[in-house]
């Protein structure tokens, strides 16, 4: 199983792969994974199969699995990295021994109704299709062997299947404006039953019931105006002669949930001139000739690769230094220094309306005149305005 998505990974508690047998097949044994349910194996008197389910569900083993149960590229707890982040960790494999399945191409039937859960819903799988038999090497690597049959299928992700609402939002601020553009209200849905974060005694029962429900679902989100599990804040921090600096903050508002191997994809034209990134790792995406306006940020293993649950430590930060282009395309006006799109873990975040972006003060929209010619032109404009006023 290979995750071909550039900046979407499958996080803990990991993937689940399932299907429906075409006949009366059983799974005798598995290496590198396990069936989540053995099913009814009462028809077997001795040597019970690993699973007798008509529709088995296969899950990955944990990293500390016994060595004699492991298989190559297995045992990561179902976590699959994205291709852009770690291609070697974007692959998982296991081996199953199947009974009652036939022994030739004519007697073997393809499983049906494949489905994939990537720590939750969202994936839709195609039917399995027979492809050219896989080839592999055995023993010392000098003998090449070929599989009896190989079939393949593709599972595609859709954010709308998971939820009609986004799962993240973007807020903005800048050094040149006191205005802070928050996430749009109800970006990720509104509260069904609003409650205070600091309830009085009359409201205690509402809080306790909500907490118990959220513990079961592991999806309790802190009450905010936007109600998003994740908020990305983009702050234009400094403007230098040849560079400009941005502070990027990702905040987790979800309780009891850490985000491992998180990714943040950003679309902005100045990313082609990125000079330095602190605290995060960076990889450019979608490079077509001179076009390089999309990049992926992600954490450093052992430092901030895990975004902790909501609380004082539930955020990660970085500062980005970007170089100004020679063609003078850089501008602080009209919301230019702010991102066009942002994706967290592959999900597109809700952006504020452009007319709410932090704006330059009126006095900063015109540069101070320098030199006699500039002063003359400035006076001509003033005189013209005065004459119009007189007329």
């Amino acid at each position: 199983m290979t995750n071909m998505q550039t900046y979407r990974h499958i996080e803990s508690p990991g993937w689940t792969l399932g299907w429906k047998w075409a006949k009366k097949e059983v799974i005798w044994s598995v290496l590198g994974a396990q069936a989540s349910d053995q099913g009814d194996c009462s028809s077997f008197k001795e040597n019970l199969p690993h699973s007798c389910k008509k529709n088995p569900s296969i899950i990955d083993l944990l990293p500390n699995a016994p060595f004699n149960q492991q298989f190559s590229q297995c045992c990561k707890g179902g976590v699959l990295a994205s291709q852009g982040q770690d291609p070697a960790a974007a692959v998982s494999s296991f081996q199953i021994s199947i009974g009652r399945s036939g022994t030739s191409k004519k007697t073997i039937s393809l499983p049906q109704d494949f489905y994939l859960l990537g720590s939750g819903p969202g994936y839709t799988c195609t039917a399995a299709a027979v492809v050219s038999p896989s080839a592999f090497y055995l023993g010392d690597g000098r003998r090449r062997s070929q599989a009896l049959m190989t079939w393949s299928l593709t599972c595609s992700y859709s954010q709308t299947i998971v939820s009609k609402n986004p799962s993240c939002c973007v807020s903005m601020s800048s050094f040149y404006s006191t205005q802070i553009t928050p996430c749009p209200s109800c970006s990720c849905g509104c509260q069904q039953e609003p409650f205070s974060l600091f309830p009085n005694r009359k409201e205690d029962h509402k809080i306790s019931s909500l907490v118990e429900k959220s513990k079961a679902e592991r999806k309790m989100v802190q009450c905010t105006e936007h109600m998003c599990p994740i908020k990305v804040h983009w702050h234009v921090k400094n403007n230098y002669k040849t560079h400009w600096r941005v502070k990027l903050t990702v905040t987790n508002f979800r309780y009891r949930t850490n985000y491992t191997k998180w990714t943040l994809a950003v679309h902005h034209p100045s990313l082609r001139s990125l000079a330095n990134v602190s605290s995060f790792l960076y990889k450019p995406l979608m490079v077509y000739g001179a076009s390089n306006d999309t990049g992926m940020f992600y954490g450093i293993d052992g430092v901030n690769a895990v975004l902790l649950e909501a609380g004082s430590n539930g955020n990660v930060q970085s500062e980005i230094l970007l170089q100004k282009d020679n063609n003078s395309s850089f501008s602080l006006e009209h919301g230019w220094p702010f991102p066009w799109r942002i994706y967290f873990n592959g999900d597109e975040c809700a952006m504020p309306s452009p007319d709410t972006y932090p704006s330059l003060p009126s006095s900063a929209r015109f540069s101070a005149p320098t030199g006699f010619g500039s002063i003359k032109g400035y006076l001509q404009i003033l005189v013209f305005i005065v004459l119009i006023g007189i007329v």
Side-chain angles (χ1 to χ4, degrees), residues 149-169:
M149 287 182 68
T150 300
W151 54 77
S152 175
L153 61 132
T154 301
C155 299
S156 303
Y157 183 85
S158 173
Q159 186 176 349
T160 56
I161 294 178
V162 180
S163 174
K164 64 179 181 180
N165 299 315
S167 59
C168 55
C169 65

Side-chain angles (χ1 to χ4, degrees), residues 2-322:
T2 304
N3 182 14
M4 302 302 297
Q5 299 171 109
T6 305
Y7 45 83
R8 180 191 300 282
H9 68 292
I10 295 179
E11 59 185 340
S12 179
W15 54 262
T16 299
L17 181 65
W19 60 83
K20 180 181 179 182
W21 290 119
K23 297 186 291 187
K24 295 182 179 181
E25 294 90 340
V26 295
I27 299 176
W28 281 111
S29 62
V30 187
L31 290 178
Q34 62 182 350
S36 59
D37 191 347
Q38 185 181 27
D40 183 9
C41 296
S42 58
S43 60
F44 294 85
K45 303 305 178 182
E46 297 180 357
N47 300 325
L48 295 180
H50 178 80
S51 176
C52 301
K53 292 279 291 185
K54 179 72 174 179
N55 50 345
S57 299
I58 306 299
I59 56 176
D60 195 12
L61 295 180
L62 297 176
N64 59 353
F67 182 77
N68 61 353
Q69 297 179 15
Q70 296 184 19
F71 194 71
S72 62
Q73 298 172 318
C74 83
C75 312
K76 292 173 281 193
V79 175
L80 280 181
S82 62
Q83 282 286 330
Q85 191 172 10
D86 188 355
V91 182
S92 184
S93 36
F94 56 89
Q95 178 177 284
I96 59 178
S97 298
I98 307 168
R100 296 178 175 177
S101 61
T103 56
S104 68
K105 294 182 179 180
K106 293 183 179 181
T107 57
I108 294 177
S109 299
L110 274 62
Q112 304 167 353
D113 301 335
F114 278 89
Y115 68 89
L116 174 67
L117 298 176
S119 70
Y123 287 91
T124 302
C125 298
T126 64
V130 178
V131 296
S132 300
S134 301
F136 47 90
Y137 290 88
L138 299 175
D140 56 6
R142 295 185 296 173
R143 174 175 168 80
R144 185 174 181 270
S145 181
Q146 180 174 295
L148 176 64
M149 287 182 68
T150 300
W151 54 77
S152 175
L153 61 132
T154 301
C155 299
S156 303
Y157 183 85
S158 173
Q159 186 176 349
T160 56
I161 294 178
V162 180
S163 174
K164 64 179 181 180
N165 299 315
S167 59
C168 55
C169 65
V170 179
S171 59
M172 303 171 180
S173 61
S174 64
F175 71 91
Y176 54 79
S177 174
T178 57
Q179 173 188 359
I180 297 178
T181 302
C183 287
S185 180
C186 295
S187 296
C188 302
C190 296
Q191 306 171 32
Q192 298 298 326
E193 295 182 2
F195 62 92
S196 170
L197 287 176
F198 305 96
N200 54 41
R201 292 183 180 179
K202 294 182 180 180
E203 297 172 323
D204 280 348
H205 67 283
K206 294 183 181 180
I207 297 298
S208 61
S209 62
L210 181 59
V211 169
E212 291 302 318
K213 179 180 179 181
S214 301
K215 284 181 179 180
E217 297 179 352
R218 302 183 71 249
K219 292 183 179 180
M220 182 176 178
V221 177
Q222 181 178 326
C223 283
T224 58
E225 286 294 323
H226 52 77
M227 287 305 294
C228 289
I230 295 293
K231 183 183 79 170
V232 181
H233 187 75
W234 182 281
H235 175 69
V236 181
K237 187 175 182 179
N238 300 104
N239 181 27
Y240 309 111
K241 183 177 181 180
T242 59
H243 293 76
W244 59 294
R245 187 182 298 275
V246 170
K247 183 176 181 180
L248 194 59
T249 305
V250 184
T251 305
N252 184 7
F253 287 93
R254 176 171 286 175
Y255 295 107
R256 298 175 60 83
T257 300
N258 298 334
Y259 290 90
T260 59
K261 297 286 186 181
W262 59 267
T263 62
L264 190 73
V266 178
H267 184 196
H268 191 284
S270 271
L271 287 178
R272 62 177 175 263
S273 304
L274 189 143
N276 184 63
V277 179
S278 65
S279 303
F280 289 175
L281 297 176
Y282 175 78
K283 183 176 183 179
L285 306 173
M286 298 174 63
V287 180
Y288 298 106
S291 177
N292 180 16
D293 57 4
T294 307
M296 181 179 71
F297 299 90
Y298 54 100
I300 303 172
D301 286 337
V303 181
N304 54 9
V306 178
L307 176 57
L308 299 177
E309 65 173 320
S312 58
N313 297 320
N315 66 85
V316 289
Q317 301 179 5
S318 175
E319 291 199 1
I320 308 165
L321 186 65
L322 303 124

